[in-house]
Amino acid sequence: MRTVAEHQSVVAELLVRTEVVELGLAEAAGLVLAQDLVAARALPAFDNSAMDGYAVRAADVAGASVEHPVALPVAEDVPAGRVDGPPLAPGTAHRIMTGAPVPEGADAVVQVEATDGGTVTVLVHEERVAGTHVRTAGEDVAVGETVLTAGTELGAAQLGLVAALGEPTVRVHRRLRALVLSTGSELVAAGQPLVHGQIHESNGVMLCTALRAAGAEAEQLHFVADDVEAFHAALAPRLEHVDLVLTSGGVSAGAYEVVKDALTGQGVEFAKVAMQPGMPQGAGRLRGVPVVTLPGNPVSSLVSFEVFLRPAVRGAMGHGRTHRRVVRARLTEALDSPQGRRQYRRGVLDEAAGTVRPIGPPASHFLRWLAASDCLLDLHEETTHLDAGSEIDVWVLDT
Ligand SMILES: Nc1nc2c(c(=O)[nH]1)N[C@H]1C(S)=C(S)[C@@H](COP(=O)(O)OP(=O)(O)OC[C@H]3O[C@@H](n4cnc5c(N)ncnc54)[C@H](O)[C@@H]3O)O[C@H]1N2
Ligand code: MOO
C-alpha cells in the first residue's frame, strides 16, 4: 500500500504550474502574482490634506489660541478633486477638504474644529507645527519601490493597493481548469424522483465547490453510468480543454468499476493508499491530461480531495501555502484508529479552549457529519488508540 505522503507527491507532480496571464483586478481575486509589482506612481501622488479644515503657513498661525485667535482671509475653497492648484499667499488661508491637494506655500492644515469655520475670514484657535495634517507625496509608496512580490496571493488589501497605484491589470497564474465527472449507474440528479436502488448524486457539486474554493475553475460533466464507452464518450470532447479531470466512483474491487476499467492501461495507475477514508485511489494522464480518480463514497471523495487535490491545485496555481492550517488540540473523548492507516476523522474545533470534539462514525458514507464538521482530525498510521485529553493534529477547514 502507498502512504498518504507518497500519493500526495504523485498527485502534486501530476499538475503543472498554470500559465501566467494578465487579468483585470476583479478577476484576479485570490490568484497569485507572477511577478514583482514595482510602483510606477507614488502614493500619495501629491501632498494632500488629512483633515477638513484650512491650509495655512504654520508661521502665520504661531501663537494662536482661543483667547488670541489669528484671523486669516479665506482666499480659496479647495475641495477634493480640485485640480487647478492655486498657491497660498502669505497671511491667507485656503479652506481645504480631506484628500484635496495642499497648495504650494502652505505647510500645515488646521482642522475645522480648531477654528470658527469662517468662509470669508477664518479665526484660527490653535497653532500648528509645519507638516501637521499634511499627507506627503510618496510617504506610503515611492516610485520604483517593490510593493508586492511574486508569489503574493491577491486578497482585498493587495488588490486595493494595485488599483490605488493605477494598474488596471495584474500578471497572475491563471486558474486551473478542472472537469468533474461522477460515475455510477445508481446516480440520479437532485430534483428527480428515485426508484429503489437509486440515490441522488452528490459528489459532483461537492467536488466542484471544493475546487472553486481552492481557486480553480470547475465544470461538472453530467455523470455517466457504469459504462466504459459512455465514460470515454463523455470525456473526449472536453479533455483537451482542461488541466485536470477529477472522477469519483468506480475505482474499488467490484465487477463494474467503470473508471478503473476505462483508464487501466491508458496511463492512469490505481493504488491502495493506507488511509481511511479514501483507500482506493488512482492518478495518471489520459492523452497527456492529468486525471485523478477519487473513491465514490462521499466522505472518501471530499477527504481525498482535501488530502491530495487541494494542496496540488493550490501549488499549481503558485500558492506558497498549499496546506490547511494545522493546529494542536486536545481530544474531548477517546478515539480508536486502525493500525497502519492514516485516519481522518471529522470534528468540531474549539480553538479558544484548545479542544477538538470528534463527530460521527469513521465510515465513509456519513455525509451529514462531514457537513457538520469544521476540521479533520489527523490520526497517524501508528496510532491505534488515543485517550480523551490526548493532543492531536487538526486540519482547520477555513482558509
Ligand atoms: N471488495 C471491496 N470492496 C470495496 C473496497 C475494497 O477494497 N474491496 N473498498 C471500499 C472502499 S474503502 C471504498 S471508499 C469504496 C470505493 O468505491 P468506488 O470508488 O468504486 O465507488 P462506487 O463503488 O462507485 O461507490 C461507492 C459508494 O459511493 C456512492 N457514490 C458513488 N458516486 C457517488 C456520487 N457521485 N454521489 C453520491 N454517492 C456516490 C455509491 O453509491 C456507493 O454507495 O469501495 C468499497 N468497496
Ligand atoms: O477507504 Mo473507503 O475510502 O472508506 O471508505
Side-chain angles (χ1 to χ4, degrees):
M1 272 210 250
R2 266 187 200 165
T3 64
V4 165
E6 283 164 352
H7 195 64
Q8 275 175 328
S9 304
V10 168
V11 174
E13 281 162 25
L14 206 54
L15 300 188
V16 291
R17 184 65 59 92
T18 59
E19 299 107 50
V20 174
V21 291
E22 189 158 340
L23 292 182
L25 303 191
E27 291 171 290
L31 297 183
V32 172
L33 204 57
Q35 62 187 41
D36 290 357
L37 183 73
V38 177
R41 295 174 186 81
L43 281 182
F46 50 87
D47 290 357
N48 70 92
S49 178
M51 290 284 181
D52 300 318
Y54 296 84
V56 297
R57 289 167 200 262
D60 287 344
V61 298
S65 65
V66 176
E67 296 76 28
H68 303 288
V70 170
L72 297 172
V74 179
E76 295 284 346
D77 210 22
V78 192
R82 185 166 173 184
V83 295
D84 57 349
L88 181 85
T92 68
H94 288 182
R95 196 160 80 123
I96 192 167
M97 303 303 147
T98 304
V102 171
E104 198 189 314
D107 60 7
V109 170
V110 183
Q111 69 268 44
V112 66
E113 296 88 335
T115 71
D116 70 345
T119 53
V120 178
T121 299
V122 62
L123 295 178
V124 177
H125 296 149
E126 292 174 23
E127 62 178 2
R128 289 286 179 264
V129 296
T132 303
H133 301 319
V134 176
R135 305 193 290 208
T136 313
E139 71 178 4
D140 187 7
V141 175
V143 173
E145 240 183 308
T146 298
V147 288
L148 295 171
T149 52
T152 302
E153 182 174 327
L154 296 172
Q158 293 72 30
L159 287 167
L161 174 61
V162 178
L165 288 166
E167 304 293 345
T169 59
V170 275
R171 290 176 66 74
V172 291
H173 292 281
R174 69 161 172 80
R175 293 185 196 280
L176 181 132
R177 294 186 199 109
L179 187 68
V180 170
L181 182 57
S182 305
T183 64
S185 297
E186 73 279 27
L187 305 178
V188 172
Q192 301 298 312
L194 299 178
V195 296
H196 184 73
Q198 295 180 323
I199 63 164
H200 283 127
E201 200 278 330
S202 58
N203 290 348
V205 69
M206 186 176 72
L207 293 171
C208 283
T209 303
L211 279 159
R212 289 180 194 126
E217 281 173 20
E219 177 192 349
Q220 187 179 349
L221 255 195
H222 195 270
F223 37 89
V224 297
D226 292 332
D227 178 292
V228 168
E229 268 179 37
F231 179 87
H232 281 301
L235 211 49
R238 297 300 303 135
L239 198 56
E240 65 187 88
H241 304 289
V242 297
D243 306 305
L244 167 70
V245 174
L246 194 54
T247 67
S248 75
V251 295
S252 55
Y256 311 98
E257 303 295 7
V258 66
V259 174
K260 216 174 193 176
D261 294 347
L263 298 178
T264 298
Q266 305 283 317
V268 178
E269 201 186 341
F270 293 90
K272 286 191 172 182
V273 176
M275 68 188 279
Q276 194 217 5
M279 183 175 67
Q281 299 287 342
R285 286 176 184 277
L286 176 64
R287 298 205 290 283
V289 179
V291 178
V292 177
T293 70
L294 302 179
N297 278 318
V299 179
S300 312
S301 243
L302 194 60
V303 168
S304 305
F305 179 89
E306 278 297 326
V307 175
F308 304 117
L309 267 309
R310 191 178 179 280
V313 164
R314 286 177 61 83
M317 291 172 48
H319 288 277
R321 202 168 56 82
T322 54
H323 286 68
R324 295 285 193 181
R325 194 161 59 88
V326 176
V327 299
R328 300 281 292 168
R330 292 184 313 282
L331 281 172
T332 57
E333 59 193 68
L335 273 187
D336 292 314
S337 182
Q339 162 72 38
R341 294 246 241 147
R342 185 98 168 248
Q343 196 186 43
Y344 295 94
R345 295 286 291 266
R346 278 62 68 197
V348 175
L349 177 67
D350 183 339
E351 262 195 286
T355 58
V356 63
R357 179 168 56 89
I359 57 169
S364 51
H365 59 289
F366 288 98
L367 193 49
R368 170 253 178 108
W369 294 106
L370 181 67
S373 66
D374 61 13
C375 64
L376 291 177
L377 285 57
D378 183 354
L379 308 179
H380 292 259
E381 286 85 347
E382 66 282 7
T383 302
T384 52
H385 177 82
L386 289 167
D387 290 324
S390 308
E391 271 212 345
I392 59 160
D393 285 337
V394 175
W395 295 19
V396 187
L397 303 179
D398 53 2
T399 50

mmCIF file of all heavy atoms in Angstrom, residues 182-189 193-201 222-228 230-231 248-250 255-259 296:
data_model
loop_
_atom_site.group_PDB
_atom_site.id
_atom_site.type_symbol
_atom_site.label_atom_id
_atom_site.label_comp_id
_atom_site.label_asym_id
_atom_site.label_seq_id
_atom_site.Cartn_x
_atom_site.Cartn_y
_atom_site.Cartn_z
ATOM 1 N N SER A 182 -18.715 12.426 -12.243
ATOM 2 C CA SER A 182 -19.174 11.395 -11.304
ATOM 3 C C SER A 182 -19.640 10.188 -12.100
ATOM 4 O O SER A 182 -20.252 10.345 -13.155
ATOM 5 C CB SER A 182 -20.357 11.907 -10.479
ATOM 6 O OG SER A 182 -20.032 13.093 -9.838
ATOM 7 N N THR A 183 -19.361 9.022 -11.563
ATOM 8 C CA THR A 183 -19.787 7.814 -12.267
ATOM 9 C C THR A 183 -20.644 6.954 -11.346
ATOM 10 O O THR A 183 -20.459 6.954 -10.131
ATOM 11 C CB THR A 183 -18.574 6.978 -12.717
ATOM 12 O OG1 THR A 183 -17.886 6.519 -11.553
ATOM 13 C CG2 THR A 183 -17.632 7.787 -13.589
ATOM 14 N N GLY A 184 -21.546 6.229 -11.938
ATOM 15 C CA GLY A 184 -22.370 5.307 -11.164
ATOM 16 C C GLY A 184 -23.759 5.195 -11.762
ATOM 17 O O GLY A 184 -24.448 6.209 -11.915
ATOM 18 N N SER A 185 -24.157 3.970 -12.092
ATOM 19 C CA SER A 185 -25.479 3.751 -12.707
ATOM 20 C C SER A 185 -26.614 4.033 -11.741
ATOM 21 O O SER A 185 -27.765 4.183 -12.155
ATOM 22 C CB SER A 185 -25.587 2.307 -13.210
ATOM 23 O OG SER A 185 -24.632 2.096 -14.210
ATOM 24 N N GLU A 186 -26.277 4.102 -10.444
ATOM 25 C CA GLU A 186 -27.325 4.332 -9.441
ATOM 26 C C GLU A 186 -27.627 5.820 -9.246
ATOM 27 O O GLU A 186 -28.537 6.178 -8.505
ATOM 28 C CB GLU A 186 -26.888 3.715 -8.087
ATOM 29 C CG GLU A 186 -25.779 4.452 -7.325
ATOM 30 C CD GLU A 186 -24.358 4.160 -7.815
ATOM 31 O OE1 GLU A 186 -24.209 3.831 -9.006
ATOM 32 O OE2 GLU A 186 -23.411 4.296 -7.028
ATOM 33 N N LEU A 187 -26.886 6.680 -9.914
ATOM 34 C CA LEU A 187 -26.964 8.117 -9.610
ATOM 35 C C LEU A 187 -28.076 8.813 -10.388
ATOM 36 O O LEU A 187 -28.227 8.627 -11.590
ATOM 37 C CB LEU A 187 -25.629 8.792 -9.925
ATOM 38 C CG LEU A 187 -24.405 8.185 -9.239
ATOM 39 C CD1 LEU A 187 -23.141 8.907 -9.675
ATOM 40 C CD2 LEU A 187 -24.560 8.225 -7.728
ATOM 41 N N VAL A 188 -28.803 9.644 -9.662
ATOM 42 C CA VAL A 188 -29.907 10.420 -10.240
ATOM 43 C C VAL A 188 -29.737 11.861 -9.755
ATOM 44 O O VAL A 188 -29.365 12.084 -8.593
ATOM 45 C CB VAL A 188 -31.265 9.847 -9.757
ATOM 46 C CG1 VAL A 188 -32.418 10.733 -10.175
ATOM 47 C CG2 VAL A 188 -31.461 8.425 -10.285
ATOM 48 N N ALA A 189 -29.991 12.805 -10.626
ATOM 49 C CA ALA A 189 -29.804 14.208 -10.247
ATOM 50 C C ALA A 189 -30.805 14.628 -9.176
ATOM 51 O O ALA A 189 -31.957 14.171 -9.182
ATOM 52 C CB ALA A 189 -29.961 15.097 -11.474
ATOM 53 N N PRO A 193 -37.076 12.085 -9.323
ATOM 54 C CA PRO A 193 -37.544 11.022 -8.424
ATOM 55 C C PRO A 193 -36.618 9.812 -8.459
ATOM 56 O O PRO A 193 -35.911 9.587 -9.450
ATOM 57 C CB PRO A 193 -38.920 10.659 -9.002
ATOM 58 C CG PRO A 193 -38.878 11.112 -10.424
ATOM 59 C CD PRO A 193 -37.926 12.266 -10.503
ATOM 60 N N LEU A 194 -36.621 9.070 -7.353
ATOM 61 C CA LEU A 194 -35.783 7.877 -7.251
ATOM 62 C C LEU A 194 -36.657 6.633 -7.276
ATOM 63 O O LEU A 194 -37.775 6.657 -6.775
ATOM 64 C CB LEU A 194 -35.027 7.874 -5.914
ATOM 65 C CG LEU A 194 -34.060 9.007 -5.631
ATOM 66 C CD1 LEU A 194 -33.464 8.822 -4.236
ATOM 67 C CD2 LEU A 194 -32.966 9.062 -6.682
ATOM 68 N N VAL A 195 -36.139 5.573 -7.802
ATOM 69 C CA VAL A 195 -36.738 4.262 -7.546
ATOM 70 C C VAL A 195 -35.782 3.527 -6.627
ATOM 71 O O VAL A 195 -34.605 3.896 -6.507
ATOM 72 C CB VAL A 195 -37.007 3.465 -8.851
ATOM 73 C CG1 VAL A 195 -38.028 4.190 -9.707
ATOM 74 C CG2 VAL A 195 -35.729 3.208 -9.624
ATOM 75 N N HIS A 196 -36.286 2.494 -5.981
ATOM 76 C CA HIS A 196 -35.473 1.764 -5.008
ATOM 77 C C HIS A 196 -34.175 1.300 -5.674
ATOM 78 O O HIS A 196 -34.184 0.725 -6.756
ATOM 79 C CB HIS A 196 -36.256 0.558 -4.483
ATOM 80 C CG HIS A 196 -35.512 -0.181 -3.413
ATOM 81 N ND1 HIS A 196 -35.358 0.323 -2.136
ATOM 82 C CD2 HIS A 196 -34.839 -1.355 -3.435
ATOM 83 C CE1 HIS A 196 -34.639 -0.518 -1.422
ATOM 84 N NE2 HIS A 196 -34.312 -1.555 -2.194
ATOM 85 N N GLY A 197 -33.045 1.588 -5.006
ATOM 86 C CA GLY A 197 -31.747 1.204 -5.572
ATOM 87 C C GLY A 197 -31.014 2.385 -6.182
ATOM 88 O O GLY A 197 -29.823 2.281 -6.472
ATOM 89 N N GLN A 198 -31.720 3.478 -6.400
ATOM 90 C CA GLN A 198 -31.064 4.679 -6.926
ATOM 91 C C GLN A 198 -30.790 5.659 -5.787
ATOM 92 O O GLN A 198 -31.470 5.624 -4.753
ATOM 93 C CB GLN A 198 -31.960 5.367 -7.963
ATOM 94 C CG GLN A 198 -32.184 4.531 -9.208
ATOM 95 C CD GLN A 198 -33.072 5.255 -10.208
ATOM 96 O OE1 GLN A 198 -34.016 5.952 -9.836
ATOM 97 N NE2 GLN A 198 -32.762 5.069 -11.485
ATOM 98 N N ILE A 199 -29.811 6.544 -5.991
ATOM 99 C CA ILE A 199 -29.538 7.601 -4.998
ATOM 100 C C ILE A 199 -29.344 8.929 -5.721
ATOM 101 O O ILE A 199 -29.073 8.952 -6.927
ATOM 102 C CB ILE A 199 -28.275 7.301 -4.143
ATOM 103 C CG1 ILE A 199 -27.019 7.249 -5.032
ATOM 104 C CG2 ILE A 199 -28.432 6.013 -3.360
ATOM 105 C CD1 ILE A 199 -25.729 7.352 -4.252
ATOM 106 N N HIS A 200 -29.466 9.990 -4.963
ATOM 107 C CA HIS A 200 -29.206 11.308 -5.550
ATOM 108 C C HIS A 200 -27.707 11.562 -5.607
ATOM 109 O O HIS A 200 -26.998 11.368 -4.617
ATOM 110 C CB HIS A 200 -29.929 12.395 -4.742
ATOM 111 C CG HIS A 200 -31.381 12.455 -5.035
ATOM 112 N ND1 HIS A 200 -32.347 12.390 -4.057
ATOM 113 C CD2 HIS A 200 -32.049 12.547 -6.213
ATOM 114 C CE1 HIS A 200 -33.555 12.454 -4.624
ATOM 115 N NE2 HIS A 200 -33.391 12.550 -5.927
ATOM 116 N N GLU A 201 -27.275 12.011 -6.747
ATOM 117 C CA GLU A 201 -25.847 12.282 -6.964
ATOM 118 C C GLU A 201 -25.423 13.476 -6.121
ATOM 119 O O GLU A 201 -26.105 14.503 -6.105
ATOM 120 C CB GLU A 201 -25.630 12.575 -8.451
ATOM 121 C CG GLU A 201 -24.210 12.418 -8.921
ATOM 122 C CD GLU A 201 -23.329 13.614 -8.638
ATOM 123 O OE1 GLU A 201 -23.842 14.748 -8.609
ATOM 124 O OE2 GLU A 201 -22.119 13.424 -8.445
ATOM 125 N N HIS A 222 -22.059 15.941 -16.917
ATOM 126 C CA HIS A 222 -23.177 15.112 -16.483
ATOM 127 C C HIS A 222 -22.643 13.734 -16.137
ATOM 128 O O HIS A 222 -21.865 13.158 -16.879
ATOM 129 C CB HIS A 222 -24.229 15.019 -17.589
ATOM 130 C CG HIS A 222 -25.507 14.493 -17.074
ATOM 131 N ND1 HIS A 222 -25.800 13.158 -17.047
ATOM 132 C CD2 HIS A 222 -26.548 15.126 -16.502
ATOM 133 C CE1 HIS A 222 -26.995 12.991 -16.501
ATOM 134 N NE2 HIS A 222 -27.465 14.167 -16.170
ATOM 135 N N PHE A 223 -23.002 13.255 -14.967
ATOM 136 C CA PHE A 223 -22.443 11.976 -14.518
ATOM 137 C C PHE A 223 -22.838 10.859 -15.476
ATOM 138 O O PHE A 223 -23.876 10.890 -16.117
ATOM 139 C CB PHE A 223 -22.880 11.648 -13.092
ATOM 140 C CG PHE A 223 -24.267 12.058 -12.791
ATOM 141 C CD1 PHE A 223 -25.314 11.203 -13.034
ATOM 142 C CD2 PHE A 223 -24.518 13.333 -12.285
ATOM 143 C CE1 PHE A 223 -26.603 11.600 -12.773
ATOM 144 C CE2 PHE A 223 -25.805 13.730 -12.025
ATOM 145 C CZ PHE A 223 -26.851 12.858 -12.272
ATOM 146 N N VAL A 224 -21.924 9.902 -15.554
ATOM 147 C CA VAL A 224 -22.147 8.838 -16.531
ATOM 148 C C VAL A 224 -22.402 7.515 -15.817
ATOM 149 O O VAL A 224 -21.957 7.296 -14.693
ATOM 150 C CB VAL A 224 -20.943 8.697 -17.491
ATOM 151 C CG1 VAL A 224 -20.762 9.954 -18.309
ATOM 152 C CG2 VAL A 224 -19.684 8.350 -16.735
ATOM 153 N N ALA A 225 -23.087 6.672 -16.504
ATOM 154 C CA ALA A 225 -23.390 5.342 -15.970
ATOM 155 C C ALA A 225 -22.126 4.482 -16.004
ATOM 156 O O ALA A 225 -21.111 4.878 -16.565
ATOM 157 C CB ALA A 225 -24.493 4.717 -16.807
ATOM 158 N N ASP A 226 -22.208 3.333 -15.381
ATOM 159 C CA ASP A 226 -21.054 2.433 -15.334
ATOM 160 C C ASP A 226 -20.873 1.749 -16.682
ATOM 161 O O ASP A 226 -21.180 0.569 -16.856
ATOM 162 C CB ASP A 226 -21.256 1.385 -14.223
ATOM 163 C CG ASP A 226 -21.196 2.030 -12.850
ATOM 164 O OD1 ASP A 226 -20.516 3.056 -12.706
ATOM 165 O OD2 ASP A 226 -21.839 1.499 -11.933
ATOM 166 N N ASP A 227 -20.384 2.511 -17.629
ATOM 167 C CA ASP A 227 -20.242 2.002 -18.987
ATOM 168 C C ASP A 227 -18.992 2.656 -19.575
ATOM 169 O O ASP A 227 -18.918 3.887 -19.680
ATOM 170 C CB ASP A 227 -21.512 2.409 -19.774
ATOM 171 C CG ASP A 227 -21.464 1.966 -21.216
ATOM 172 O OD1 ASP A 227 -20.627 2.511 -21.980
ATOM 173 O OD2 ASP A 227 -22.246 1.096 -21.581
ATOM 174 N N VAL A 228 -18.002 1.831 -19.923
ATOM 175 C CA VAL A 228 -16.705 2.349 -20.356
ATOM 176 C C VAL A 228 -16.849 3.235 -21.585
ATOM 177 O O VAL A 228 -16.240 4.302 -21.675
ATOM 178 C CB VAL A 228 -15.722 1.174 -20.618
ATOM 179 C CG1 VAL A 228 -14.476 1.656 -21.335
ATOM 180 C CG2 VAL A 228 -15.352 0.505 -19.295
ATOM 181 N N ALA A 230 -19.506 4.936 -22.568
ATOM 182 C CA ALA A 230 -20.179 6.189 -22.192
ATOM 183 C C ALA A 230 -19.194 7.104 -21.464
ATOM 184 O O ALA A 230 -19.210 8.325 -21.648
ATOM 185 C CB ALA A 230 -21.384 5.892 -21.307
ATOM 186 N N PHE A 231 -18.335 6.504 -20.665
ATOM 187 C CA PHE A 231 -17.330 7.271 -19.928
ATOM 188 C C PHE A 231 -16.404 8.010 -20.901
ATOM 189 O O PHE A 231 -16.222 9.226 -20.817
ATOM 190 C CB PHE A 231 -16.525 6.315 -19.034
ATOM 191 C CG PHE A 231 -15.439 6.968 -18.245
ATOM 192 C CD1 PHE A 231 -15.696 7.522 -17.001
ATOM 193 C CD2 PHE A 231 -14.140 7.027 -18.738
ATOM 194 C CE1 PHE A 231 -14.694 8.121 -16.273
ATOM 195 C CE2 PHE A 231 -13.128 7.631 -18.013
ATOM 196 C CZ PHE A 231 -13.409 8.177 -16.777
ATOM 197 N N SER A 248 -15.122 10.569 -9.682
ATOM 198 C CA SER A 248 -15.436 9.924 -8.401
ATOM 199 C C SER A 248 -16.199 8.649 -8.681
ATOM 200 O O SER A 248 -17.016 8.586 -9.608
ATOM 201 C CB SER A 248 -16.221 10.855 -7.482
ATOM 202 O OG SER A 248 -17.557 10.958 -7.903
ATOM 203 N N GLY A 249 -15.881 7.636 -7.890
ATOM 204 C CA GLY A 249 -16.546 6.338 -8.012
ATOM 205 C C GLY A 249 -15.834 5.419 -8.995
ATOM 206 O O GLY A 249 -14.945 5.837 -9.747
ATOM 207 N N GLY A 250 -16.224 4.141 -8.925
ATOM 208 C CA GLY A 250 -15.754 3.178 -9.919
ATOM 209 C C GLY A 250 -14.279 2.823 -9.856
ATOM 210 O O GLY A 250 -13.664 2.568 -10.890
ATOM 211 N N ALA A 255 -17.274 -5.632 -9.665
ATOM 212 C CA ALA A 255 -17.320 -6.165 -11.026
ATOM 213 C C ALA A 255 -17.568 -5.060 -12.056
ATOM 214 O O ALA A 255 -17.332 -5.255 -13.236
ATOM 215 C CB ALA A 255 -18.435 -7.207 -11.107
ATOM 216 N N TYR A 256 -18.064 -3.911 -11.609
ATOM 217 C CA TYR A 256 -18.389 -2.828 -12.556
ATOM 218 C C TYR A 256 -17.695 -1.553 -12.118
ATOM 219 O O TYR A 256 -18.329 -0.640 -11.609
ATOM 220 C CB TYR A 256 -19.907 -2.594 -12.612
ATOM 221 C CG TYR A 256 -20.706 -3.864 -12.794
ATOM 222 C CD1 TYR A 256 -21.287 -4.491 -11.702
ATOM 223 C CD2 TYR A 256 -20.846 -4.434 -14.056
ATOM 224 C CE1 TYR A 256 -21.998 -5.670 -11.853
ATOM 225 C CE2 TYR A 256 -21.556 -5.616 -14.225
ATOM 226 C CZ TYR A 256 -22.122 -6.230 -13.123
ATOM 227 O OH TYR A 256 -22.816 -7.387 -13.279
ATOM 228 N N GLU A 257 -16.390 -1.513 -12.273
ATOM 229 C CA GLU A 257 -15.635 -0.344 -11.838
ATOM 230 C C GLU A 257 -15.272 0.454 -13.080
ATOM 231 O O GLU A 257 -14.205 0.292 -13.673
ATOM 232 C CB GLU A 257 -14.383 -0.774 -11.061
ATOM 233 C CG GLU A 257 -14.664 -1.650 -9.849
ATOM 234 C CD GLU A 257 -15.449 -0.947 -8.738
ATOM 235 O OE1 GLU A 257 -15.913 0.193 -8.937
ATOM 236 O OE2 GLU A 257 -15.601 -1.545 -7.664
ATOM 237 N N VAL A 258 -16.184 1.336 -13.480
ATOM 238 C CA VAL A 258 -16.066 1.952 -14.801
ATOM 239 C C VAL A 258 -14.789 2.778 -14.955
ATOM 240 O O VAL A 258 -14.146 2.752 -16.001
ATOM 241 C CB VAL A 258 -17.323 2.790 -15.133
ATOM 242 C CG1 VAL A 258 -17.457 3.983 -14.221
ATOM 243 C CG2 VAL A 258 -17.297 3.243 -16.577
ATOM 244 N N VAL A 259 -14.410 3.498 -13.910
ATOM 245 C CA VAL A 259 -13.230 4.367 -14.040
ATOM 246 C C VAL A 259 -11.976 3.497 -14.182
ATOM 247 O O VAL A 259 -11.138 3.717 -15.062
ATOM 248 C CB VAL A 259 -13.128 5.314 -12.822
ATOM 249 C CG1 VAL A 259 -11.838 6.116 -12.853
ATOM 250 C CG2 VAL A 259 -14.328 6.254 -12.793
ATOM 251 N N GLY A 296 -15.808 6.748 -4.619
ATOM 252 C CA GLY A 296 -17.166 7.279 -4.733
ATOM 253 C C GLY A 296 -17.849 7.618 -3.432
ATOM 254 O O GLY A 296 -18.697 8.521 -3.393
#
